[in-house]
Amino acid sequence: MDLNQYAAVYKDNLLKDVIPFWEKFSPDQQYGGYFTCLDRQGKVFDTDKFIWLQARQVWTFSMLYNKVEARTSWLDFAVMGASFLEQYGRDEKGDWFFSLTREGKPLVQPYNIFSDCFAAMAFGQLYKATGEKRYKNIAVHTFDRILQRYNEPKGKYNKTVPGTRPLKGLSLPMILSNLVLDIEHVLSGEQVRNTIDNCVKTVMEEFFHPSTGLVLENVIPGGRMSDSFEGRAVIPGHSLESMWFLMDIAARNEDADLLSKTVGIALNLLNFGWDQEYGGIFYVLDIKGHPPQHLEWDQKLWWVHLEAIVAMLKGYRYTGDKRCMEWFKILHDYAWSRFPDPDYGEWYGYLNRRGETLLPLKGGKWKGCFHVPRCLFQGWKTLEEIIAPENDLQQTTSSHG
Amino acid sequence: MDLNQYAAVYKDNLLKDVIPFWEKFSPDQQYGGYFTCLDRQGKVFDTDKFIWLQARQVWTFSMLYNKVEARTSWLDFAVMGASFLEQYGRDEKGDWFFSLTREGKPLVQPYNIFSDCFAAMAFGQLYKATGEKRYKNIAVHTFDRILQRYNEPKGKYNKTVPGTRPLKGLSLPMILSNLVLDIEHVLSGEQVRNTIDNCVKTVMEEFFHPSTGLVLENVIPGGRMSDSFEGRAVIPGHSLESMWFLMDIAARNEDADLLSKTVGIALNLLNFGWDQEYGGIFYVLDIKGHPPQHLEWDQKLWWVHLEAIVAMLKGYRYTGDKRCMEWFKILHDYAWSRFPDPDYGEWYGYLNRRGETLLPLKGGKWKGCFHVPRCLFQGWKTLEEIIAPENDLQQTTSSHG
């Protein structure tokens, strides 16, 4: 396949398969919001509404409206989810619950700050699509609360004893580094700059582990490795996702040093995380090679492979490093021969180590309308940029495409 | 193999392999207590101390001292763990932390009431072995706190919103039904009777699901099934363990009706939980056949198979139901050909669906010196009782053995 053909694969799968799947099977016509627990054929098998997934779907349809085409049906679909979130999603402080019943009654408290991160993304994109001030206010208030909760994201639900082994997680700075660019239009320039600087510094100086060239999932504040289950964990998919967020920041800031570092780290992560025996990227590994505490460590997850594909495409697009293109093709072949379901559409989420389907679901408690469409979009657009470079960050005009 | 040979297999593996493994590799000579994170060869790969596993190991060695042989080395080993627990294990209310550093500093708060359950078991057995009043007091105080926390076991760490979907879990009544018999000698007769009555009623009237003949893991108080991820979950190994606890209670109370019910349910659970394709018992299933939320649902875990073996042996010993003996042999062959490690001793804990080793550890954050030795002991003794019945509950004098 040449790069034009790859680009068409990503675009077609997004617009002709994945998005129609969610449009058809996920709307809850009775109570509003979306069903996300969909079996292989799209049938609803559970009706709980998880804020992460509601918000991520609002974001996806708003983003498509903003970046692909101003289709009214996409905007209406985003607004439907946003209305449900607006009405039922928050507690009295404006923090976002983790989950609701189908009708919107709160089930699980706002212990998980990523509900808030995805809500801020959703309402920020929807504001861009509609100009509706109300949505902007929700995005801004939610973003402010995230910053307020930054150092104690779990609040009173934190079960660790203070002081003994303070650990911070990669997830929050990682998500923030993406969120802040995504909703830049509702934030002040200073807020954007400070957040970006802080995220880049945190990921590159604290979570990056120089002696292995990898990225840790949890570190002692300041950056020392903790020799514990949490401290030894490496989640290659997570770190790869983080690296493409930072590549976008580096490109924006024309920071060639950061670009080259993040591309190098992404390549390290793939070399470390790739399963030499069965192919695919492991979900969780221990940096010292000890048994990880996650029993699902050897599974092959959809988002891990999609985020890795985007990281390699961006790496190639920004630096022209040929190893990125080689890895892209390996990852593409692995993922596309196993995850998409040609019979009923969308992608399987969970494969076992051998790459066989572990769960036949298309959506569940953690898989919704997000990683697949976002990465198909990013893949499509990045391939198009590689084919027809638009700016001088593209350092190669290789013969591809 | 005849039953005498089976009995010898369980006894020898317990006394010549498993117990020596823990005696050799687990003591922390420097700080006291036990290492439980041991790799295939017994080498320590993590030094954190999890209260569940510390207490369970104290219990195991005290129990062996009380029931197998009064070996001073076993008692000393139990006392070493108990001293560490006594010194570092509790918060100011006497509730047990979840985990400590190697040195004994608290890492994770007392959010998990099973830490307390296993501590009560440990100190109750150790009191029986030593007559030391101090140990009795710890067991009694801990047991009282468990009953006080019964309705809100997670306390302030509970993240569910009160009222929307009240669910109760099988684990606590299940563990209590075993704990109360184990530490009967430190409780009042009334406490024992009330707790037993309450546990039997709770498991059989609320968690037992008549239309399928199975046992649910979480129910709406009163016993209705909740059509949610938590509400649809069946953990066959857990329910099988619960059934042999209730068989012991039924035998003690000479309750033939409860015996026959629990044996029938245990057989249902095996028929439901057995993997027809690769053998072994699934870890988690959805009662309606939907995808479970646990990614590790299809794994084959050591304790599941050991507890099932004990359930089948007790079922046969108490009722003579031949299906129990047939299942015992199937389970025995499955488990003994995959879990024990003939090269380095002890049992692997985690196999994938195909029965291949998933993690090479012998101990970790959740696997310690407990299910293997307890079930080997129970298997050995139950087989001996089947061979030479001692009381009239044995309803068959079949030709086995």
Side-chain angles (χ1 to χ4, degrees):
Chain A
M1 281 207 294
D2 70 19
L3 292 192
N4 285 300
Q5 290 170 307
Y6 279 115
V9 165
Y10 285 77
K11 178 182 177 184
D12 287 353
N13 192 245
L14 173 67
L15 299 178
K16 295 182 184 161
D17 175 332
V18 171
I19 290 304
F21 183 93
W22 293 95
E23 291 181 300
K24 183 167 179 191
F25 297 115
S26 77
D28 181 353
Q29 304 294 2
Q30 196 175 346
Y31 291 96
Y34 317 114
F35 297 118
T36 64
C37 296
L38 305 176
D39 71 9
R40 185 180 174 197
Q41 301 180 37
K43 216 169 127 242
V44 178
F45 69 87
D46 192 276
T47 60
D48 282 355
K49 289 176 179 157
F50 305 97
I51 300 294
W52 280 35
L53 302 193
Q54 299 292 312
R56 284 169 154 190
Q57 189 159 343
V58 171
W59 178 85
T60 298
F61 278 86
S62 305
M63 184 277 289
L64 291 175
Y65 181 89
N66 291 331
K67 297 195 176 163
V68 176
E69 184 191 320
R71 269 190 221 176
T72 316
S73 62
W74 286 348
L75 187 59
D76 292 347
F77 202 46
V79 168
M80 185 187 75
S83 303
F84 186 84
L85 282 172
E86 239 187 311
Q87 191 167 359
Y88 302 114
R90 290 162 294 177
D91 72 3
E92 66 288 346
K93 280 191 289 220
D95 295 335
W96 295 84
F97 292 112
F98 181 75
S99 61
L100 313 172
T101 63
R102 180 182 175 186
E103 300 82 4
K105 283 193 210 139
L107 276 169
V108 176
Q109 303 280 13
Y111 79 97
N112 188 306
I113 201 163
F114 302 103
S115 307
D116 305 78
C117 292
F118 298 120
M121 275 173 71
F123 283 94
Q125 277 292 326
L126 188 60
Y127 168 66
K128 190 184 271 179
T130 59
E132 184 75 61
K133 196 80 193 282
R134 204 164 89 246
Y135 297 145
K136 179 182 174 179
N137 292 341
I138 295 176
V140 169
H141 176 78
T142 302
F143 187 79
D144 289 343
R145 285 289 296 152
I146 294 167
L147 294 189
Q148 283 164 31
R149 293 164 68 191
Y150 186 86
N151 288 316
E152 269 296 343
K154 287 190 195 162
K156 67 174 180 169
Y157 303 105
N158 183 0
K159 294 178 296 203
T160 58
V161 176
T164 307
R165 182 187 292 155
L167 286 180
K168 59 195 276 188
L170 172 64
S171 309
L172 190 47
M174 167 206 159
I175 293 287
L176 271 178
S177 71
N178 177 245
L179 168 61
V180 73
L181 292 193
D182 202 79
I183 65 166
E184 187 174 0
H185 55 284
V186 304
L187 305 175
S188 73
E190 197 193 344
Q191 244 179 341
V192 174
R193 274 190 307 278
N194 287 347
T195 308
I196 287 178
D197 288 351
N198 183 36
C199 290
V200 171
K201 212 173 141 184
T202 304
V203 174
M204 298 303 291
E205 295 178 17
E206 297 188 82
F207 289 92
F208 173 60
H209 186 247
S211 65
T212 57
L214 303 172
V215 178
L216 295 164
E217 199 58 26
N218 300 285
V219 293
I220 298 166
R224 271 194 310 124
M225 191 186 113
S226 158
D227 194 357
S228 59
F229 282 106
E230 294 76 16
R232 292 188 302 268
V234 175
I235 303 188
H238 216 195
S239 310
L240 281 157
E241 188 179 350
S242 182
M243 287 304 112
W244 79 251
F245 293 167
L246 294 195
M247 288 178 206
D248 276 356
I249 289 173
R252 171 198 163 95
N253 294 347
E254 301 186 18
D255 183 340
D257 181 52
L258 182 58
L259 258 183
S260 129
K261 274 185 190 154
T262 49
V263 170
I265 295 170
L267 290 165
N268 296 342
L269 286 162
L270 275 172
N271 285 316
F272 178 71
W274 187 256
D275 181 350
Q276 298 294 345
E277 196 169 348
Y278 294 104
I281 303 165
F282 287 117
Y283 183 21
V284 188
L285 292 168
D286 183 292
I287 200 164
K288 292 179 135 185
H290 297 318
Q293 66 173 320
H294 300 75
L295 295 184
E296 64 272 32
W297 70 276
D298 70 345
Q299 297 177 9
K300 310 292 164 66
L301 269 59
W302 86 106
W303 66 265
V304 171
H305 295 79
L306 280 161
E307 299 295 342
I309 282 171
V310 173
M312 289 300 101
L313 284 174
K314 296 218 182 229
Y316 184 74
R317 181 236 178 284
Y318 290 137
T319 70
D321 190 318
K322 288 195 170 47
R323 293 170 298 174
C324 294
M325 185 49 70
E326 286 159 17
W327 263 116
F328 161 69
K329 289 180 179 173
I330 292 168
L331 291 164
H332 176 94
D333 289 346
Y334 180 87
W336 286 82
S337 60
R338 289 167 178 85
F339 288 106
D341 177 1
D343 294 332
Y344 295 99
E346 245 280 344
W347 289 44
Y348 294 116
Y350 304 91
L351 311 180
N352 66 15
R353 181 170 175 184
R354 283 177 164 86
E356 301 156 342
T357 309
L358 176 77
L359 290 171
L361 58 78
K362 300 296 168 54
K365 184 170 175 178
W366 301 101
K367 181 176 189 289
C369 178
F370 184 66
H371 284 287
V372 178
R374 179 175 79 173
C375 291
L376 291 172
F377 172 79
Q378 289 285 344
W380 162 31
K381 290 296 172 184
T382 309
L383 281 158
E384 286 192 346
E385 288 169 12
I386 294 169
I387 295 160
E390 278 166 29
N391 68 50
D392 55 8
L393 273 163
Q394 170 68 10
Q395 301 185 356
T396 177
T397 51
S398 74
S399 60
H400 294 296
Chain B
M1 281 207 293
D2 69 18
L3 292 192
N4 284 300
Q5 289 170 307
Y6 279 114
V9 166
Y10 285 77
K11 179 182 176 182
D12 286 353
N13 192 246
L14 174 68
L15 299 179
K16 295 181 185 162
D17 175 333
V18 171
I19 290 304
F21 183 93
W22 292 95
E23 290 181 303
K24 183 165 178 192
F25 297 114
S26 77
D28 181 352
Q29 305 292 4
Q30 196 175 345
Y31 291 96
Y34 317 114
F35 298 118
T36 64
C37 297
L38 304 176
D39 72 9
R40 186 181 172 196
Q41 301 180 36
K43 213 168 129 245
V44 178
F45 68 88
D46 192 277
T47 60
D48 282 355
K49 290 179 179 156
F50 305 97
I51 300 294
W52 280 34
L53 302 192
Q54 299 293 313
R56 283 169 154 189
Q57 189 159 343
V58 171
W59 178 86
T60 297
F61 279 86
S62 304
M63 183 279 288
L64 292 174
Y65 180 88
N66 292 330
K67 296 194 176 163
V68 176
E69 186 190 318
R71 270 192 219 174
T72 315
S73 62
W74 285 349
L75 187 59
D76 291 347
F77 202 46
V79 167
M80 184 186 76
S83 303
F84 186 83
L85 282 172
E86 238 186 312
Q87 191 168 357
Y88 302 114
R90 289 162 294 176
D91 73 2
E92 67 289 347
K93 280 191 290 224
D95 295 335
W96 294 85
F97 292 111
F98 180 75
S99 61
L100 312 173
T101 63
R102 180 181 175 187
E103 301 82 4
K105 284 193 210 140
L107 276 169
V108 176
Q109 303 280 11
Y111 80 96
N112 188 307
I113 202 164
F114 302 103
S115 307
D116 305 79
C117 293
F118 298 120
M121 275 173 70
F123 284 94
Q125 277 291 326
L126 188 59
Y127 168 65
K128 190 186 267 180
T130 59
E132 184 74 63
K133 196 77 192 287
R134 204 165 89 245
Y135 297 145
K136 179 183 173 179
N137 292 341
I138 295 176
V140 170
H141 176 78
T142 301
F143 187 78
D144 289 344
R145 284 291 295 153
I146 295 167
L147 294 189
Q148 283 164 31
R149 294 165 65 190
Y150 186 86
N151 288 316
E152 269 297 343
K154 287 191 195 161
K156 67 174 179 169
Y157 302 105
N158 184 0
K159 294 178 295 204
T160 59
V161 176
T164 308
R165 183 186 291 155
L167 286 180
K168 57 196 275 188
L170 173 64
S171 310
L172 189 48
M174 167 205 158
I175 293 286
L176 271 179
S177 70
N178 178 247
L179 167 60
V180 71
L181 293 193
D182 201 80
I183 64 164
E184 188 175 359
H185 54 284
V186 304
L187 304 175
S188 74
E190 198 192 343
Q191 244 179 343
V192 174
R193 272 189 309 277
N194 287 346
T195 308
I196 287 178
D197 288 352
N198 182 38
C199 291
V200 172
K201 214 174 138 184
T202 304
V203 175
M204 298 303 290
E205 295 178 16
E206 298 187 81
F207 290 91
F208 174 58
H209 186 247
S211 65
T212 56
L214 302 172
V215 178
L216 295 164
E217 199 60 23
N218 299 286
V219 293
I220 299 166
R224 270 193 311 125
M225 191 185 112
S226 158
D227 194 357
S228 59
F229 282 106
E230 293 77 15
R232 292 189 302 268
V234 175
I235 303 187
H238 216 196
S239 310
L240 282 158
E241 186 178 352
S242 181
M243 286 305 112
W244 79 251
F245 292 168
L246 294 196
M247 288 178 205
D248 276 357
I249 289 173
R252 169 198 163 96
N253 294 347
E254 301 186 16
D255 183 340
D257 180 52
L258 181 59
L259 259 183
S260 129
K261 275 184 189 155
T262 48
V263 170
I265 294 169
L267 290 165
N268 296 341
L269 286 162
L270 275 172
N271 285 315
F272 178 72
W274 187 256
D275 181 349
Q276 297 294 342
E277 197 169 346
Y278 294 105
I281 303 165
F282 287 118
Y283 182 20
V284 188
L285 293 168
D286 182 292
I287 200 163
K288 292 178 136 185
H290 297 318
Q293 66 175 321
H294 301 75
L295 295 184
E296 64 272 33
W297 71 276
D298 71 344
Q299 296 177 8
K300 310 291 164 66
L301 269 57
W302 85 106
W303 65 267
V304 171
H305 295 80
L306 280 162
E307 299 295 341
I309 283 171
V310 173
M312 289 299 102
L313 284 174
K314 297 221 182 224
Y316 184 74
R317 180 237 180 284
Y318 290 139
T319 69
D321 191 319
K322 288 193 169 49
R323 292 171 300 175
C324 293
M325 185 49 70
E326 287 159 17
W327 264 116
F328 161 68
K329 290 181 178 172
I330 293 168
L331 291 163
H332 175 94
D333 289 346
Y334 180 88
W336 286 82
S337 61
R338 289 168 178 85
F339 288 105
D341 178 0
D343 294 332
Y344 294 99
E346 243 280 345
W347 289 44
Y348 294 116
Y350 304 91
L351 312 181
N352 66 15
R353 180 169 176 184
R354 283 177 164 86
E356 300 158 343
T357 307
L358 177 76
L359 292 172
L361 57 78
K362 300 297 169 52
K365 184 170 174 178
W366 302 101
K367 181 177 190 287
C369 178
F370 183 65
H371 284 287
V372 178
R374 179 175 80 172
C375 291
L376 291 172
F377 172 77
Q378 288 286 344
W380 161 31
K381 290 296 171 182
T382 308
L383 282 158
E384 286 193 345
E385 287 169 12
I386 294 168
I387 295 160
E390 278 165 28
N391 68 49
D392 54 7
L393 273 164
Q394 169 67 11
Q395 301 184 356
T396 178
T397 51
S398 76
S399 59
H400 292 296

